[in-house]
Amino acid sequence: MNKSESIKNLVGALTSLQGKMVAVKKDATNPFYKSKYASLDTIWEAIRKPLSENGLSITQTMNLVNDKSVLETTLYHT
């Protein structure tokens, strides 16, 4: 995959994004540990708009590495 040699614009977008982020509400319960956590749906709902407003997007793909399934997360910036 091609990657930018400079991350100047990406860093600016991430800085702006972090300034707009708020704490994600813990909306689910883990019955085994009796603890609360934020579900993936709630996390995506909280970050989708701030990511988009800063020209950022995320993809996740499954790959095989040494015959093992690996989840790869990629951050993109316009």
Side-chain angles (χ1 to χ4, degrees):
M1 172 189 299
N2 293 331
K3 297 182 181 179
S4 300
E5 297 209 8
S6 170
I7 61 168
K8 177 182 170 189
N9 293 334
L10 174 61
V11 171
L14 288 170
T15 300
S16 179
L17 169 72
Q18 288 177 348
K20 295 177 182 178
M21 296 299 299
V22 295
V24 177
K25 183 177 179 169
K26 294 180 180 179
D27 66 331
T29 303
N30 180 331
F32 185 75
Y33 291 106
K34 311 252 188 289
S35 60
K36 301 282 283 176
Y37 67 95
S39 66
L40 185 56
D41 288 341
T42 300
I43 293 168
W44 273 114
E45 185 65 31
I47 66 171
R48 185 176 287 116
K49 186 175 179 184
L51 281 169
S52 178
E53 289 173 345
N54 289 284
L56 297 163
S57 61
I58 296 173
T59 62
Q60 291 187 307
T61 55
M62 292 298 298
N63 296 306
L64 282 176
V65 176
N66 297 326
D67 295 325
K68 295 188 180 195
S69 294
V70 175
L71 177 66
E72 182 177 288
T73 303
T74 305
L75 174 68
Y76 293 98
H77 180 247
T78 56

